[in-house]
Amino acid sequence: MVFSGLTFLLLFLPLLLGLYFISGNIHWRNGVLVLFSLLFYAWGEPVMVWLMVLATLVNYLCGLGIAACPSRHGRRLWLLLGAVVSLAGLVYFKYAGFLLESLGKLLHISLSFQAPALPIGISFYTFQILTYTVDVYRKKVPVQKNFFRLLLYVSCFPQLIAGPIVQYGDIAGALEKRTSNLKSFTDGMDRFFVGLAKKVLLANVCGAALEGCTLGGGKDPLSLGGAWLGALLYTLQLYYDFSAYSDMAIGLGKVLGFTYKENFLYPYISLSPTEFWRRWHISLGAFFRDYVYIPLGGNRRGRLRTTLNLFVVWFLTGVWHGASWNFVLWGLYWFVLQQIDKALPNAFKEGVPALLRGLLTFVLANLGWVLFYYTDFGALEQHLSAMFSLRGGWIDEKALTVLGRYGLFLLAALVGCFPWLPALKKRLWGHKRWRKTIYVTGTVCACLLGALSVVYLVCQSYNPFIYFRF
């Protein structure tokens, strides 16, 4: 089940909200949320839902063991057990085949393994379970003695499938006590409808346009313009697809009384690779910072060790996205860019106009997403070479057709990458007489966008969520 599906919008969500808000206390509301969250996941993964429940149960018991164990050695054993069980499922389903195939190529022998289909969202909920067990071990959070509250944290449907990655400490209090009112409901639904529109009216259209382009791996040669157009469309599709899901998750969380942190802050306006990753998939960066980079020593052990720690983080960031060498290459690409960025003197960077720095960062992001897109290195090489040569001509017929059909949507998607609406709202919000008008206008516009998105969904069949496969 997906947020942008008609089943979710017209059946699941209204029924959930109805039962949730007629429930008299937090215990009943938690029960409704657990039930509907498991149903939400089981809709597409009727068997694999038990894998998530089992991993949660094991870590629940490990948390109790850590809290009760007086010795540090014993607490470490409980932590290790929880981590091994959590990561075992992820490694088996996502990486076992890739690891055996790579080992076989290295040893020049035939090794193959066909794992079952990758459970949706396993990377996200595995990381969330780990934050709980590790933070209990660190004594950052108290142990959760109610299993169903921990299960609610792990399975809560708004952020279950594609994030944002929610650390246990961020919502531990809300599992036991939270409030919902008319304003939080309205603000949350506004955010949800905006995210739905970004997904349906922008991400899906960019994806449909991308399917009409000539891409690497085909028989037709790629033109210079066609190669850059394909990269741009994927760059925009990926951003709107994933940020839309985060918007909808944050909005639904607010409706239900949870506060999820922002996951995207207009990353395509960044002026450097370092800034880009402060704005893109913020929850993933926070996870690797708190649970990998800092435990490895962070920047406290000299420049060489800091560089090594960052290398490990970016290697894992690439691997986290998929079991393929192109993701490793993509992660190391951003590692190198950030090292170059940090090595450049501030005086030099400040001497370059902001517009030029922003454009360069955007181009580098486009190149990075080309690495991200292709698991076939032959197709990747074909696309990258076309972006810097004229062997296929300036522009091909398919690219011209796509521009003619989707040009206005592409322009709207580019404009939407800039925070001009929040800036306008912030400026007008300073005038008290405008506040009520802004609030009402925003709600009406969000509802209209939601209605338009539903109409579009009825008429169209293209509606994937890219990040489900990561």
Side-chain angles (χ1 to χ4, degrees):
M1 193 181 301
V2 297
F3 289 168
S4 57
L6 293 176
T7 301
F8 177 85
L9 293 169
L10 303 181
L11 179 62
F12 181 92
L13 186 59
L15 184 58
L16 163 71
L17 294 179
L19 291 175
Y20 183 83
F21 284 109
I22 65 173
S23 299
N25 57 56
I26 191 68
H27 303 294
W28 282 101
R29 288 187 172 185
N30 283 351
V32 169
L33 266 184
V34 169
L35 177 63
F36 273 78
S37 294
L38 295 178
L39 175 62
F40 178 86
Y41 192 80
W43 193 273
E45 302 282 3
V47 176
M48 295 305 175
V49 67
W50 297 110
L51 178 66
M52 179 178 63
V53 174
L54 176 62
T56 305
L57 176 60
V58 170
N59 280 268
Y60 166 75
L61 296 174
C62 288
L64 294 177
I66 291 171
C69 191
S71 70
R72 187 174 183 180
H73 178 71
R75 294 170 65 243
R76 282 183 174 177
L77 289 177
W78 282 112
L79 172 64
L80 181 63
L81 175 61
V84 167
V85 171
S86 299
L87 293 173
L90 182 62
V91 171
Y92 173 77
F93 286 100
K94 192 169 184 176
Y95 300 110
F98 168 68
L99 292 172
L100 286 175
E101 182 182 351
S102 300
L103 181 62
K105 289 181 179 179
L106 182 65
L107 300 177
H108 302 288
I109 59 176
S110 178
L111 291 174
S112 62
F113 172 76
Q114 187 64 41
L118 182 68
I120 296 173
I122 188 172
S123 298
F124 288 92
Y125 74 68
T126 297
F127 276 21
Q128 293 195 176
I129 294 173
L130 287 174
T131 71
Y132 166 74
T133 311
V134 172
D135 284 354
V136 170
Y137 173 80
R138 293 174 173 176
K139 298 184 179 180
K140 290 181 62 177
V141 298
V143 66
Q144 177 56 259
K145 296 181 180 179
N146 186 314
F147 169 70
F148 289 99
R149 285 178 185 162
L150 185 62
L151 181 60
L152 173 59
Y153 158 67
V154 175
S155 68
C156 195
F157 78 92
Q159 41 73 43
L160 171 63
I161 302 298
I165 298 169
V166 179
Q167 297 185 21
Y168 178 78
D170 293 337
I171 64 164
L175 296 172
E176 300 180 15
K177 184 179 180 180
R178 59 184 182 274
T179 58
S180 300
N181 52 44
L182 181 60
K183 187 178 187 306
S184 66
F185 181 89
T186 304
D187 290 346
M189 291 308 299
D190 286 354
R191 183 72 179 267
F192 176 82
F193 286 140
V194 169
L196 180 65
K198 285 169 66 175
K199 165 61 183 166
V200 174
L201 304 179
L202 293 175
N204 285 2
V205 172
C206 287
L210 183 63
E211 289 192 340
C213 292
T214 300
L215 298 175
K219 296 180 180 180
D220 297 328
L222 276 77
S223 65
L224 176 69
W228 280 100
L229 177 61
L232 177 61
L233 286 171
Y234 186 63
T235 294
L236 294 172
Q237 183 196 12
L238 195 64
Y239 166 63
Y240 281 113
D241 189 275
F242 195 16
S243 69
Y245 194 98
S246 292
D247 285 338
M248 288 187 277
I250 292 169
L252 288 174
K254 185 173 289 189
V255 168
L256 299 170
F258 296 100
T259 300
Y260 299 143
K261 293 181 179 179
E262 294 295 334
N263 209 23
F264 290 87
L265 289 174
Y266 295 94
Y268 292 150
I269 68 168
S270 302
L271 301 182
S272 69
T274 302
E275 183 185 356
F276 179 86
W277 278 98
R278 292 188 186 129
R279 294 174 174 271
W280 179 277
H281 206 342
I282 299 168
S283 64
L284 181 65
F287 177 89
F288 279 117
R289 179 196 65 214
D290 295 342
Y291 298 95
V292 177
Y293 179 67
I294 293 176
L296 286 175
N299 60 358
R300 303 186 303 273
R301 299 184 181 180
R303 181 176 296 180
L304 182 61
R305 182 60 181 269
T306 299
T307 302
L308 178 61
N309 293 343
L310 288 171
F311 176 87
V312 172
V313 165
W314 281 106
F315 176 83
L316 293 177
T317 300
V319 170
W320 180 86
H321 281 86
S324 176
W325 286 109
N326 71 299
F327 294 116
V328 175
L329 179 62
W330 171 81
L332 298 182
Y333 167 81
W334 280 106
F335 165 74
V336 171
L337 288 182
Q338 291 205 10
Q339 293 306 301
I340 294 173
D341 182 38
K342 292 178 186 297
L344 293 174
N346 288 331
F348 173 80
K349 289 186 283 188
E350 291 170 0
V352 179
L355 179 62
L356 186 58
R357 282 186 285 151
L359 182 60
L360 176 60
T361 303
F362 184 69
V363 169
L364 292 173
N366 275 253
L367 291 171
W369 294 132
V370 174
L371 300 178
F372 195 84
Y373 182 82
Y374 290 102
T375 56
D376 181 339
F377 277 81
L380 171 62
E381 188 277 331
Q382 186 182 357
H383 195 127
L384 287 175
S385 63
M387 296 176 77
F388 298 97
S389 73
L390 286 172
R391 284 181 294 179
W394 284 101
I395 194 165
D396 57 88
E397 186 176 343
K398 284 187 176 182
L400 288 172
T401 301
V402 167
L403 283 173
R405 185 175 180 182
Y406 297 102
L408 290 177
F409 286 99
L410 182 58
L411 180 61
L414 286 169
V415 170
C417 292
F418 294 87
W420 58 274
L421 269 178
L424 178 62
K425 181 179 178 180
K426 183 178 180 180
R427 185 169 183 177
L428 293 176
W429 199 256
H431 304 281
K432 292 184 178 180
R433 66 178 182 274
W434 286 101
R435 291 183 180 179
K436 187 174 182 180
T437 303
I438 294 170
Y439 190 82
V440 173
T441 302
T443 298
V444 170
C445 290
C447 291
L448 289 175
L449 285 173
L452 181 61
S453 300
V454 172
V455 172
Y456 190 89
L457 284 170
V458 172
C459 301
Q460 300 293 326
S461 59
Y462 183 88
N463 189 36
F465 261 117
I466 297 177
Y467 254 79
F468 279 8
R469 65 188 178 99
F470 304 126

